[in-house]
Amino acid sequence: MAAAAAAAGGAGAAAALWSEVNRCGQNGDFARALKSVNKILQISKDDVTALQCKVVCLIQNGSFKEALGVINTHTKVLTSDIIAFEKAYCEYRLNRIENALKTIQSASQQTDKLKELYGQVVIRSFSSWWDLNVCEKKKKKFVSVACQICIDQLEDLGLREATYELCYNSACALIGQGKLNEAMKKLQKAEELCRQSLSEDSDVTEEDIEAELAIIHGQMAYIMQLQGRTEDALQLYNQIIKLKPTDVGLLAVIANNIITINKDQNVFDSKKKVKLTNAEGVEHKLSKKQLQAIEFNKALLAMYTNQADQCRKLSASLQSQSPEHLLPVLIQAAQLCREKQHAKAVGLLQDFADQHPANAAEIKLTMAQLKIAQGSVTKACMILRSIEELQHKPGMVSALVTMYSHEEDIDSAIEVFTQAIQWYQQFQPKSPVHLSLIREAANFKLKHGRKKEAISDLEELWKQNPKDVHTLAQLISAYSLVDPEKAKVLSKHLPSSDTMSLKVDVDALENSHGATYVRKKAGKLTGDNQQKEPGQGDVKKKKKKKKGKLPKNYDPKVTPDPERWLPMRERSYYRGRKKGKKKDQVGKGTQGSTTTGSSELDASRTASSPPTSPRPGSAAAVSATSNVIPPRHQKPAGAPATKKKQQQKKKKGAKGGW
């Protein structure tokens, strides 16, 4: 009786607890519902329904690891058919993508929600809209296929673009296919649907609507970035950041895209944006490839901000996570080059190329670039020629020929042409690339005087196209220096001058912009203007030469000096500079200087000498004394000024008054 009563009491308690779980589930209070579920499991620890409810409550509370632990602990009760969706969803949210795919594929029944989750997992497994740095063609193709799987499933359900979320997914699929303009239209439609659906709720504010639109606007900004509209993309990215959305994954993605736009410029802004990528919980929001792309950008930013140790640390960590990945090695080599350690960088790349032959071509191209930067062009050519899969490519041939020409190694350049032509002769004979290489080789040999070597190439081209007059002319020119008789025989194949006449519009040619002489069109004749007779050509007027100006003292009767064009010192009649012109002056300097010549003061030279001492008071005495000043009475020219300067200096240095 007691046992039956206890069982009845337990059943009543369980019923009450189940009612509590149901009420809390409807109200969205999953934390309280979890407590009731735990009490039920204390009564019946293997209750399948209770275990399912516990897993759901943990998922709703964001405790994905705990939910997955419950599933793995009770595998006998919670079989894959019962709990497949919840298990795959937990693995998806924990970024265990491969495990999630296996869980979905192992389910016996593919329900609609499993199909939708499968499409989302496949998208996450390859790439996503924010994975900007991964631009490999194969991955873009996989994204396109993955998105299309999801959209096809939505079409089967009849739910495509019924809501703004599904319209947004459709835009993601179009981005994966490279249809950016169509994707932008879908996003604009998704924005309209979002505003309409949220505006119907009176409790939703404009800020709530903008927060919900943040991910759509982020997708729009990404399309702008792909289209090269970086300024518009940056503006939209910054608007989203100002809203401070709660989705840390969205913020990390936007910050990463801003860093990719900034590149090596505006590094201060990039360093601020890096903090958004380190937020808590980002690792659960983004895929491994997205997180890897963010780490790559961090390493590059450390390099551009001269944080060498941080750059080496990040790149080494990335290389340890993905030993086969090329980018970490390239970042390390770039950092070594910034430190002027080019030899060490080349050695690092060579070691990686030896360990990973699949990436050897890309590594060797980088090594060649470093050698060219060091000025070792010949060594760079040797590295490039070691890439066997690229030796016959026209781009590689052009680069090698240019580099060998720069080094004046014509023989090696011709050898490059020969090897490439032989490859096409074996695998793609008579292809356009093959004939183009033969023509370029012939032109190169003719340019450098190798006419004998060019003859075989020209003959091959002429055989392919016997009507090619240009090739025939080159061949005749080459044979004229080697075998004149052969040149005469080949010249018979040239067309006659009559057949080579070209139909050229002379008027159009003369009136074109490139013509050096443009014939003026004849205007209408009016008045006295008379029309010229046919055959009467225009007489070209000769410009008259201007006569040179004659000197002012030119005398036509006098023969001009034949040595007038020579400098005075080089003329035959030059006798040097005359000396002693001022001997007749009385004195020099301040003592004895006078403006009157000695001849004027000599009384004996005059016809009638006046008395040496004129009478006092006479006019002669007055005039003599007024005009002539004795030398001793003359003042030095600079005396007053010197005295004044001395007085000024003395006055300036005096401390007191006079």
Side-chain angles (χ1 to χ4, degrees), residues 504-556:
V504 180
D505 188 351
V506 179
D507 294 335
L509 185 62
E510 288 182 346
N511 293 325
S512 64
H513 295 290
T516 56
Y517 168 73
V518 179
R519 185 174 60 188
K520 295 182 179 180
K521 294 182 179 179
K524 294 182 179 179
L525 297 174
T526 56
D528 298 332
N529 293 336
Q530 296 179 358
Q531 192 173 3
K532 292 183 179 180
E533 296 180 2
Q536 195 175 13
D538 296 333
V539 180
K540 214 173 187 180
K541 294 183 179 180
K542 293 184 179 180
K543 291 184 179 180
K544 295 182 179 180
K545 293 184 179 180
K546 293 183 179 180
K547 294 182 179 181
K549 291 184 178 180
L550 298 173
K552 294 181 180 179
N553 58 351
Y554 173 71
D555 188 358

Side-chain angles (χ1 to χ4, degrees), residues 457-487:
D457 296 330
L458 293 171
E459 285 181 340
E460 180 66 24
L461 289 172
W462 190 49
K463 288 178 182 178
Q464 297 296 330
N465 186 9
K467 296 182 179 180
D468 189 354
V469 180
H470 177 70
T471 302
L472 179 59
Q474 286 182 314
L475 185 59
I476 294 170
S477 176
Y479 265 122
S480 63
L481 298 176
V482 179
D483 190 352
E485 296 298 327
K486 183 69 174 179

Side-chain angles (χ1 to χ4, degrees), residues 97-112:
I97 304 302
E98 294 179 359
N99 295 337
L101 285 172
K102 291 179 181 179
T103 301
I104 295 172
Q105 292 170 355
S106 63
S108 57
Q109 294 181 355
Q110 294 294 323
T111 60
D112 292 340

Side-chain angles (χ1 to χ4, degrees), residues 193-247:
L193 292 172
C194 182
R195 290 187 182 276
Q196 291 175 3
S197 61
L198 295 180
S199 60
E200 295 174 357
D201 190 349
S202 58
D203 295 335
V204 177
T205 62
E206 185 64 26
E207 293 180 357
D208 296 334
I209 295 175
E210 291 297 326
E212 189 69 19
L213 289 172
I215 191 168
I216 298 176
H217 290 161
Q219 189 76 300
M220 290 180 173
Y222 174 67
I223 293 176
M224 294 175 186
Q225 188 174 354
L226 290 179
Q227 292 175 336
R229 299 160 55 191
T230 53
E231 293 297 329
D232 296 336
L234 274 176
Q235 185 177 359
L236 194 50
Y237 281 144
N238 289 320
Q239 288 178 4
I240 297 170
I241 291 176
K242 287 180 182 179
L243 294 173
K244 297 180 180 180
T246 56
D247 190 350

